[in-house]
Amino acid sequence: MKARTELTIFFAASSLALGACGSPPEPAGGTHQETAALEEEEREESRAGSVQAWEAGPQTGAGADAGIKAGTGESETAGGEPSSEPASEPETEKLLTVDRILELSGREDLTWEDFQDYPSEDIGSGLHILKYDIDDDFCLLVGGGVMDQEPMYIRAVSARDQEDYIDIRNPVQEVRAFFQEHRHAEEYVGIRGHVKEVGEDQVLISSDTDDFPGVFWVEGAKSLTAEGELKGGTPVFVLMEDTGTQAHDGLELFRAKQIMALSESVEGKADILLTSPPSLSLTDVLSSKYQSFEIQPRDYSWSTMEGGEAVTVVACGAAPLEFPEITDRLKIPPYNGVDQVCYALSTAAAPDKLVVCRWDKDDAGEEDRALECMITYYCPVFTIDLEKDKVYELTAEWKEDNLEEDGYAGRAGYVLVTE
């Protein structure tokens, strides 16, 4: 433990007894002016002595080997030379990560010491069982009787079911598959609605989307918008996730990922007859080149009206993770400090519903890999965020209820790989 230097500064002060009327009595043989001059001389001597004490520093006790130079705050060594070492700051404990576990996987010589740099909690009773938090989906349990011997087990455990685990000393391919299969997918919904009430840290939203009706509270919405932008009656688009809890009044509580105030006008559908599902166009909104990336439908079911009757054409395509070598590939620009790049999404006629699913690119060519994220837009959407090294499936739907009015309806799936 570092010795703590305590500096005590003594200030000498002279005081004169006050008379009954609050005025200092004149000393014998002197005037008020002479008395004031003497007081000022005493104060100057006092200040000089105090400065000398400050510069000298303490001479005894724990602080004798260290001092502080007056007026600079610069630390000194016992010999009086300035120290070149900066003041130390406490290090933030870093959690164990899935990537680190994959680096250690497959090794049969793992010991307790391989995890000593990460914070843990001993939850054992009789045995040592060290629990290492990883994220919301996983933790690591290292268990054994004696900590100077190899652990009995080193398990990656599902946070949702502790009976579902794998010992990370198994081959790395098996451990990777465990993480992929048990990763809980992020799920978001995007709707249009309007603000009913603005609370202290939550906003009450009423959905204007028939496929996702209701009234619910959304937390975090105010922090994503300018102050005063959200008020009663404001039409909005909100992208949110279900917290699985209820607000104070029993209504469902969601957490905002994105929210935007909309104009009062609502975009109408394009007056066009689509005889087949349209292509999708993606444009990087940050790029000055404004080049579009076209994606053709991989599979679809498409209906049109002919002679007053519906005619449907079906095309079957491969699953999103199959045959990655024939999938459209999009190069994501390496913008500094940006994990996701916003792309404008356009097509001949905006779909009524869009589902965006995302997998890790390393899963391409494999079957039944768990989703990383799924976003369901219950309204036309015109921008989406994309990350590099991912596989995306975009499933667009044009409602069957609008077949007679629009002359077309159906569903189409689009797949791309980002690099």
Side-chain angles (χ1 to χ4, degrees):
M1 179 180 294
K2 294 184 179 179
R4 186 180 65 181
T5 302
E6 296 184 357
L7 301 182
T8 306
I9 303 174
F10 297 93
F11 291 96
S14 64
S15 60
L16 296 174
L18 296 179
C21 295
S23 300
E26 286 188 11
T31 64
H32 286 296
Q33 288 80 10
E34 291 172 337
T35 301
L38 289 172
E39 292 174 7
E40 180 61 25
E41 183 177 352
E42 290 176 354
R43 284 193 290 269
E44 287 297 326
E45 291 175 355
S46 174
R47 282 193 290 268
S50 300
V51 170
Q52 291 174 359
W54 174 275
E55 291 178 338
Q59 302 301 312
T60 60
D65 62 346
I68 297 180
K69 294 174 70 175
T72 66
E74 183 176 308
S75 61
E76 291 184 323
T77 62
E81 295 296 327
S83 172
S84 59
E85 296 183 3
S88 61
E89 295 182 0
E91 294 185 1
T92 302
E93 291 183 318
K94 59 180 180 180
L95 293 178
L96 191 60
T97 65
V98 170
D99 288 341
R100 178 55 180 160
I101 291 176
L102 291 176
E103 291 176 4
L104 298 172
S105 296
R107 286 177 43 186
E108 296 183 357
D109 61 344
L110 291 176
T111 67
W112 303 87
E113 287 74 19
D114 288 303
F115 307 96
Q116 64 182 0
D117 293 336
Y118 305 96
S120 65
E121 175 188 4
D122 195 337
I123 61 173
S125 177
L127 294 177
H128 290 290
I129 303 177
L130 299 187
K131 178 184 177 183
Y132 298 83
D133 290 327
I134 300 175
D135 54 30
D136 291 340
D137 293 324
F138 303 103
C139 68
L140 187 79
L141 297 182
V142 183
V146 183
M147 296 187 71
D148 58 1
Q149 298 179 5
E150 69 177 40
M152 295 171 57
Y153 58 81
I154 308 175
R155 297 172 178 171
V157 182
S158 170
R160 290 170 177 77
D161 183 359
Q162 292 195 3
E163 297 301 318
D164 206 347
Y165 58 83
I166 186 172
D167 196 300
I168 70 169
R169 291 172 291 193
N170 281 298
V172 63
Q173 296 87 348
E174 297 180 13
V175 180
R176 184 188 300 276
F178 174 83
F179 283 122
Q180 292 170 334
E181 292 169 7
H182 294 81
R183 173 70 66 189
H184 178 66
E186 300 175 49
E187 294 187 24
Y188 300 93
V189 295
I191 65 164
R192 290 188 179 184
H194 63 274
V195 177
K196 290 183 65 68
E197 181 181 334
V198 178
E200 183 175 348
D201 56 357
Q202 299 172 352
V203 177
L204 186 64
I205 302 290
S206 177
S207 174
D208 296 334
T209 304
D210 293 339
D211 292 337
F212 198 90
V215 178
F216 30 79
W217 289 97
V218 179
E219 65 180 13
K222 293 174 67 176
S223 64
L224 298 174
T225 57
E227 186 174 354
E229 183 176 358
L230 300 179
K231 52 188 177 181
T234 302
V236 294
F237 165 80
V238 58
L239 182 63
M240 58 192 184
E241 63 177 329
D242 193 348
T243 65
T245 61
Q246 295 180 337
H248 60 281
D249 54 4
L251 294 176
E252 289 183 280
L253 179 63
F254 289 79
R255 182 179 298 109
K257 179 178 176 65
Q258 179 185 2
I259 187 167
M260 296 184 297
L262 303 175
S263 63
E264 294 291 345
S265 60
V266 178
E267 301 85 351
K269 283 190 175 182
D271 187 12
I272 184 176
L273 176 62
L274 296 177
T275 58
S276 61
S279 62
L280 297 182
S281 178
L282 294 170
T283 305
D284 178 4
V285 299
L286 298 178
S287 173
S288 59
K289 298 179 180 179
Y290 210 70
Q291 294 178 340
S292 296
F293 181 83
E294 297 289 330
I295 317 173
Q296 300 299 325
R298 190 162 178 169
D299 63 274
Y300 58 84
S301 174
W302 197 256
S303 300
T304 56
M305 295 296 295
E306 295 183 11
E309 295 185 358
V311 178
T312 302
V313 178
V314 177
C316 296
L321 297 180
E322 293 179 347
F323 309 114
E325 65 278 0
I326 64 172
T327 302
D328 292 309
R329 293 177 178 269
L330 173 63
K331 181 71 173 180
I332 303 293
Y335 296 119
N336 289 334
V338 177
D339 296 327
Q340 297 180 327
V341 175
C342 181
Y343 281 79
L345 176 66
S346 60
T347 185
D352 300 303
K353 179 181 176 181
L354 180 69
V355 180
V356 180
C357 294
R358 188 187 76 209
W359 294 264
D360 193 281
K361 192 174 73 171
D362 290 340
D363 295 340
E366 303 289 339
E367 296 181 1
D368 301 325
R369 292 306 190 195
L371 275 173
E372 285 187 346
C373 181
M374 181 174 69
I375 302 176
T376 303
Y377 297 95
Y378 290 96
C379 59
V381 61
F382 302 100
T383 62
I384 60 172
D385 293 330
L386 300 178
E387 300 179 24
K388 69 176 183 178
D389 297 328
K390 303 296 180 182
V391 177
Y392 287 91
E393 180 188 41
L394 286 70
T395 304
E397 180 182 333
W398 291 262
K399 284 187 177 182
E400 196 77 22
D401 295 343
N402 300 329
L403 175 58
E404 292 189 8
E405 179 181 352
D406 296 338
Y408 61 87
R411 180 204 58 82
Y414 308 79
V415 178
L416 75 152
V417 175
T418 58
E419 298 179 331

